[in-house]
Amino acid sequence: MINLTINSLNVSVEEGTTLLEAARFLGFHIPTLCYMDGLSPYGACRLCVVEIGEGPKAKLVSSCTYPAEMGLNVRTASSRVRRARKMILELLLASCPQSKTIQDLAAAHDVRQQRFKQEYEDCILCGLCVRMCEEQMMAKAIGFRGRGENRSIGTPFDITSDVCRQCGGCMYVCPACQLRCTYTEPEKAVCGGCANLSPPCLQKEQFDDMMCYMDPCVACEIKKD
Amino acid sequence: MKRLKSIDDFKALQGLIIADRDPSISTIVIPAGTCGQASGANDLMRITKRELLAKGLTDKIHLRITGCHGFCEMEPSVLIEPQGTFYPKVSIEDMVRIVEAIEKGEVLEDLFFVDPETGVAVEKQDDIPFFKKQVRTILARNERVDPIRIHNYIESGGYSALAGVLTNGKPKWVVEQVKSSGLRGRGGAGFSTGLKWEMLAGQSNGHGKFLVCNADEGDPGAYMDRSVLEGNPHSIIEGMIIGAYGTGATEGVVYVRNEYPLAIKHLVIALGQARGLGLLSDDILGTGFSFDIKIVRGAGAFVCGEETALIRSIEGKMGEPRQRPPFPVQKGIDGRPTAINNVETWANIPIIIGDGAQQFAKIGTKGNSGTKIFSLVGKIKNTGLVEVPMGITIGEIVYDIGGGPVDKAKIKAVQTGGPSGGCIPAQKFDLPIDYDSLIEAGSIMGSGGMIVMDENTCMVDVAKYFMNFLKDESCGKCLTCRKGTQRMYEILDDISKGQATLEHLELLEELAEVVKDTTMCGLGQTAPNPVLSTIRYFHDEYIEHIKNKRCPAGVCKELITYFINENCTGCMVCLRDCPEGAITGEKKELHVIDPSKCIKCGVCKSVCKFDAVDVN
């Protein structure tokens, strides 16, 4: 067992436990976007950062990927952490303002405005869909392509993937268009502008009827102009 | 080549090679690294060979083709041994004369290097100010070795350190030596190499361990690693074998960029020769110790220089960093313990083992021992590779070795550490160069790029340039690095166009701090350095751009206008050269630039002989 302190509380966890799991075990809330139980942690959204270390060696690490270490002193909501989270949410809002999940997170962290040039992107590249496809659906139909600002998710050469079974798992986990599939009653599904995600491995026409209750989709309407 | 079966065999071969050579025979040394070949060393090689063959001088004059010696500004150059005569910028005709002169035992005074400060011609390489202040433990070996001839390397003492280690060194002793030498990783982070090896040696050896040479040099304007790999590949191989002996590693990998064809070629030849002689692969020198090295070619992603991304790239996956811990020494290539060191670090190992750790630790300062190679580029007279002891000041490199500014404009700053480094202003040029003081000054040592900038360089533009590089080269995994660099670039672009406000500058700083704090790997954590260091030292320039919409250096196109002053003689040169036809005027009359047509390309300014074009 590994002993560490989280926000001055002592906790013992098994080896291999991540800081996020340990903090949640104690009931400390840490916001996440790219983390999901059952999928391997990835550390892309950086929302889950926590502060570790002392004095000049103190640093922020993503709690979803950082393993618990003996004697570690973790702060899950220090001023440095809060400042970083606010800036991350501002960056997310600036790029992907239509996501209900991101809007809610921003509101919860008292981010009322963003100061960058407004963009309307669909994808925050959290990689949940990629990991869902690979680890839970055993398909590996989609993956990351390119790097830097050209990074995107899709299939090689944008050709419909043979291994895709059209399970819809990728859409199910997407934080940018969650509402599309999680609500069973159409009237409750308030459209967050579902970001219009369309993995190129899918034939989108089939999905329109199957998954989306919003007709016409607000986001799709925005897109068409 | 006969495979050497024992250490005595090796010593006998080395003795034979050394005895075979007559040091009094004149040798023409032509540096023909990539830089040398680009400036014409290939022609010199051809001419020299032809001359020597035609005149039947092959017994009297030897020719040695080597890697880069460092003085790239003066290439193609020729060095005559044993006298040490140095001829800069040699043409084909000069080469014929040089061969003739050597034959007669003369020197050609008119071809000597002329010191631009004093105007005095200097004959010997060692007397040239550029070389005088350097301590060239690694680069000097480039001069002595033809990279594709292993006998050359053995003759200059190569593989002796390995033979010594195999004869009486215990693995622990090797690690202890490297540790006590105080060698710190030359890739930039400055982690103690000995400590890293100790950790690797301490890992269980169940499924093998890896040693990696990181030759994925990606900083714009930096080429130290390329030169060492091209000029002396055997020193890397020897270093890695010694490292493997010390740490118990079983496999070695050299991860080199595919953009370095000559380095790869030389390395492949060198590996083949080392295997042929029994210095590599199974049962090295009959001692039963086995280690082999393979080459993995990188596809040109800057981020693959980062340890964990490099490992993924070697595994054949997408080059993208992962969380550390677990560190590569615990879990590296295919989950096996892996130690990654930079090219220059490996090149230092045979020197440490051969000369002794104490000797090595004497160079440099406490905690920062040894020498470091910098590639000195930018607005400076003597561009090239300089190898200096740690702790030398920036001023000494820039003025004493580099020879100061090219023209009248004063030197304003140096940028160290590549895109992840920062700018250090001229007021701080008495700063000693070591890992810690550079970090304190807001920059990093990096792998050794050093770009000199003068008053005609706009610091906002510099920050923008590096941010543009980083936003393309970020792997894109972390949101803060991917979006952060894009947004920083966006704000810098606005500032350079005069569209930003003071709030934007605040936001830029705030964002830079967060990106530095929250990103996973070294690339993202250091990406804001160009922004933060320029804001710290050149705040006025930013304010000038934002408040007065003026670019003091006259670089940011949106903020400058070109106009012609009364110096104009009406020679019509600029008028003819203007690509947009924006200049009007008659012969021998003052010309005028039409600002609505002008695209601010600067052609008129560069062609004007009378200083008549001004930038406002």
Side-chain angles (χ1 to χ4, degrees):
Chain A
M1 295 298 267
I2 292 169
N3 300 312
L4 67 158
T5 25
I6 299 178
N7 298 346
S8 320
L9 283 180
N10 294 324
V11 60
S12 296
V13 293
E14 274 175 43
E15 201 174 332
T17 313
T18 64
L19 295 183
L20 181 72
E21 287 161 348
R24 288 196 170 164
F25 176 71
L26 281 181
F28 290 116
H29 175 69
I30 296 175
T32 55
L33 264 179
C34 72
Y35 177 83
M36 181 172 273
D37 284 330
L39 299 179
S40 62
Y42 189 54
C45 72
R46 314 309 290 170
L47 255 187
C48 67
V49 284
V50 293
E51 192 174 357
I52 59 166
E54 306 298 329
K57 286 204 162 169
K59 61 176 180 181
L60 301 187
V61 295
S62 51
S63 59
C64 68
T65 54
Y66 204 90
E69 285 172 350
M70 195 58 114
L72 212 59
N73 178 11
V74 184
R75 282 86 75 194
T76 66
S78 63
S79 59
R80 193 170 166 190
V81 170
R82 284 205 307 272
R83 189 186 67 155
R85 273 190 202 143
K86 275 185 153 185
M87 181 54 84
I88 292 167
L89 284 166
E90 225 179 305
L91 282 171
L92 283 166
L93 268 188
S95 303
C96 208
Q98 295 151 330
S99 158
K100 182 78 168 54
T101 315
I102 292 169
Q103 287 172 7
D104 289 348
L105 273 171
H109 286 81
D110 207 22
V111 178
R112 303 281 174 217
Q113 54 148 349
Q114 65 84 14
R115 293 165 285 174
F116 302 100
K117 283 183 187 161
Q118 190 64 59
E119 287 173 352
Y120 297 92
E121 287 179 2
D122 301 338
C123 181
I124 55 167
L125 296 170
C126 65
L128 273 178
C129 54
V130 176
R131 281 173 283 150
M132 183 72 176
C133 191
E134 179 178 343
E135 295 169 13
Q136 292 294 338
M137 297 306 161
M138 309 298 168
K140 285 193 188 177
I142 48 174
F144 286 107
R145 307 173 299 187
R147 64 168 180 264
E149 44 177 3
N150 298 321
R151 189 177 167 96
S152 64
I153 290 172
T155 55
F157 313 109
D158 278 342
I159 299 167
T160 305
S161 175
D162 293 340
V163 287
C164 175
R165 303 190 298 274
Q166 309 203 342
C167 66
C170 47
M171 293 170 140
Y172 179 77
V173 295
C174 180
C177 74
Q178 242 173 17
L179 285 170
R180 183 181 255 193
C181 347
T182 42
Y183 279 82
T184 44
E185 296 156 75
E187 58 272 17
K188 280 192 182 164
V190 183
C191 183
C194 70
N196 196 26
L197 185 96
S198 59
C201 65
L202 306 174
Q203 272 131 20
K204 195 160 171 291
E205 296 76 41
Q206 298 178 9
F207 265 89
D208 275 349
D209 297 333
M210 201 166 98
M211 305 299 287
C212 189
Y213 303 111
M214 279 150 285
D215 191 27
C217 170
V218 179
C220 306
E221 290 296 300
I222 295 171
K223 207 62 192 201
K224 271 168 197 156
D225 293 329
Chain B
M1 256 185 296
K2 223 181 106 204
R3 200 179 156 88
L4 302 171
K5 296 230 170 59
S6 68
I7 294 164
D8 291 332
D9 274 5
F10 169 76
K11 284 188 175 149
L13 176 75
Q14 189 171 36
L16 214 68
I17 296 171
I18 292 173
D20 208 28
R21 181 172 140 71
D22 179 1
S24 63
I25 292 182
S26 294
T27 308
I28 301 175
V29 184
I30 301 179
T34 301
C35 45
Q37 293 192 1
S39 45
N42 279 334
D43 290 338
L44 295 191
M45 268 149 57
R46 226 168 286 135
I47 290 292
T48 316
K49 277 181 194 164
R50 200 183 70 193
E51 284 293 304
L52 293 181
L53 285 172
K55 293 184 177 164
L57 294 171
T58 41
D59 291 337
K60 288 183 199 140
I61 303 174
H62 288 173
L63 171 66
R64 186 161 74 234
I65 313 296
T66 70
C68 179
H69 297 184
F71 207 177
C72 306
E73 182 74 29
M74 290 300 153
E75 274 174 348
S77 59
V78 170
L79 177 72
I80 312 299
E81 282 181 358
Q83 296 86 353
T85 313
F86 177 78
Y87 297 110
K89 293 192 174 169
V90 180
S91 68
I92 296 173
E93 293 78 28
D94 293 340
M95 197 64 232
V96 179
R97 286 180 57 210
I98 290 172
V99 175
E100 267 171 29
I102 297 170
E103 195 189 348
K104 290 181 199 151
E106 292 167 357
V107 287
L108 297 168
E109 278 173 34
D110 57 317
L111 293 182
F112 284 169
F113 173 80
V114 180
D115 188 349
E117 290 284 308
T118 56
V120 179
V122 189
E123 181 195 343
K124 309 263 186 218
Q125 170 167 307
D126 296 342
D127 296 335
I128 295 171
F130 177 79
F131 290 105
K132 231 181 189 172
K133 268 227 160 174
Q134 296 188 44
V135 177
R136 301 168 74 231
T137 51
I138 296 172
L139 284 178
R141 292 178 132 214
N142 269 13
E143 279 171 29
R144 299 200 292 268
V145 173
D146 185 335
I148 57 169
R149 287 172 213 278
I150 193 169
H151 283 199
N152 242 244
Y153 182 68
I154 292 174
E155 181 195 316
S156 70
Y159 289 112
S160 303
L162 173 68
V165 164
L166 291 176
T167 335
N168 44 26
K170 294 227 162 43
K172 224 175 189 163
W173 175 83
V174 174
V175 176
E176 221 31 71
Q177 283 287 301
V178 175
K179 215 171 141 189
S180 64
S181 73
L183 176 68
R184 296 173 72 171
R186 296 293 191 248
F191 189 77
S192 160
T193 307
L195 261 175
K196 197 187 267 184
W197 286 20
E198 198 174 61
M199 284 188 230
L200 185 71
Q203 298 286 326
S204 77
N205 203 359
H207 302 282
K209 296 186 227 178
F210 278 97
L211 283 184
V212 177
C213 169
N214 182 353
D216 190 63
E217 183 180 46
D219 296 0
Y223 56 103
M224 311 65 58
D225 294 350
R226 189 192 72 201
S227 290
V228 174
L229 213 51
E230 273 172 14
N232 202 352
H234 282 292
S235 67
I236 311 294
I237 298 171
E238 188 184 356
M240 286 182 80
I241 304 172
I242 293 171
Y245 185 76
T247 59
T250 46
E251 281 171 73
V253 175
V254 179
Y255 186 86
V256 56
R257 324 176 55 183
N258 209 20
E259 288 93 330
Y260 287 176
L262 191 67
I264 294 173
K265 185 178 148 196
H266 286 179
L267 194 62
V268 168
I269 295 172
L271 284 173
Q273 288 173 337
R275 279 193 203 109
L277 271 185
L279 292 160
L280 195 62
S281 78
D282 296 333
D283 195 15
I284 292 171
L285 291 181
T287 54
F289 163 62
S290 302
F291 177 70
D292 207 352
I293 299 172
K294 67 171 182 180
I295 299 175
V296 175
R297 287 184 283 180
F302 179 68
V303 72
C304 286
E306 201 277 344
E307 287 192 330
T308 53
L310 185 143
I311 287 171
R312 283 181 65 97
S313 179
I314 291 176
E315 289 170 347
K317 295 179 188 147
M318 196 171 188
E320 122 190 329
R322 62 154 173 81
Q323 178 72 50
R324 295 183 302 176
F327 289 95
V329 279
Q330 300 159 323
K331 237 178 174 186
I333 300 170
D334 298 334
R336 290 182 268 175
T338 303
I340 301 170
N341 285 119
N342 173 262
V343 172
E344 215 186 312
T345 316
W346 288 119
N348 271 311
I349 300 298
I351 297 172
I352 292 173
I353 301 295
D355 300 349
Q358 262 51 45
Q359 189 63 31
F360 184 85
K362 273 185 202 155
I363 311 170
T365 56
K366 202 168 179 289
N368 286 278
S369 52
T371 59
K372 174 87 193 84
I373 308 178
F374 288 95
S375 72
L376 193 60
V377 294
K379 307 276 183 70
I380 192 151
K381 268 199 199 106
N382 305 330
T383 58
L385 294 179
V386 298
E387 186 176 351
V388 289
M390 293 268 198
I392 192 174
T393 65
I394 298 175
E396 279 174 281
I397 294 188
V398 170
Y399 293 106
D400 299 348
I401 298 173
V406 185
D407 40 40
K408 279 173 273 172
K410 265 198 222 143
I411 289 176
K412 180 157 84 176
V414 293
Q415 206 276 350
T416 67
S420 307
C423 296
I424 295 166
Q427 306 90 272
K428 289 210 142 203
F429 273 12
D430 51 357
L431 193 80
I433 293 185
D434 55 59
Y435 292 97
D436 314 302
S437 37
L438 280 177
I439 288 176
E440 216 163 278
S443 184
I444 57 167
M445 176 79 93
S447 56
M450 195 174 261
I451 304 168
V452 181
M453 305 172 197
D454 67 9
E455 282 166 333
N456 295 325
T457 317
C458 169
M459 299 321 272
V460 178
D461 190 60
V462 168
K464 193 174 117 178
Y465 168 80
F466 283 117
M467 211 40 74
N468 188 24
F469 178 87
L470 287 165
K471 83 176 165 60
D472 287 340
E473 290 299 338
S474 154
C475 79
K477 179 177 179 177
C478 295
L479 173 100
T480 42
C481 177
R482 183 184 74 245
K483 272 288 158 205
T485 49
Q486 282 175 39
R487 295 301 188 177
M488 281 192 276
Y489 174 78
E490 194 178 280
I491 297 173
L492 286 166
D493 193 43
D494 278 354
I495 294 176
S496 75
K497 284 178 177 159
Q499 293 166 355
T501 59
L502 285 175
E503 283 79 50
H504 282 107
L505 188 61
E506 252 171 58
L507 177 63
L508 179 64
E509 263 185 283
E510 212 182 308
L511 175 63
E513 291 289 352
V514 170
V515 172
K516 198 173 180 168
D517 249 9
T518 55
T519 309
M520 185 183 283
C521 80
L523 187 145
Q525 284 163 6
T526 52
N529 275 352
V531 173
L532 288 171
S533 70
T534 48
I535 293 182
R536 177 167 161 193
Y537 294 119
F538 300 95
H539 198 255
D540 299 350
E541 263 185 57
Y542 278 87
I543 298 295
E544 195 71 13
H545 279 80
I546 293 166
K547 271 194 173 163
N548 303 335
K549 314 285 177 214
R550 212 176 73 84
C551 176
V555 175
C556 299
K557 278 188 181 175
E558 266 76 7
L559 302 180
I560 53 170
T561 44
Y562 280 86
F563 66 93
I564 296 172
N565 61 30
E566 56 273 21
N567 285 349
C568 179
T569 58
C571 69
M572 302 194 72
V573 168
C574 60
L575 191 149
R576 269 198 303 272
D577 283 355
C578 179
E580 292 296 300
I583 302 175
T584 49
E586 294 299 317
K587 214 170 185 179
K588 295 197 174 161
E589 274 176 34
L590 197 76
H591 293 358
V592 181
I593 300 176
D594 180 355
S596 64
K597 283 187 188 165
C598 177
I599 56 163
K600 294 154 189 173
C601 62
V603 165
C604 46
K605 191 173 164 65
S606 60
V607 296
C608 183
K609 289 180 187 140
F610 309 98
D611 262 346
V613 181
D614 273 341
V615 184
N616 197 348

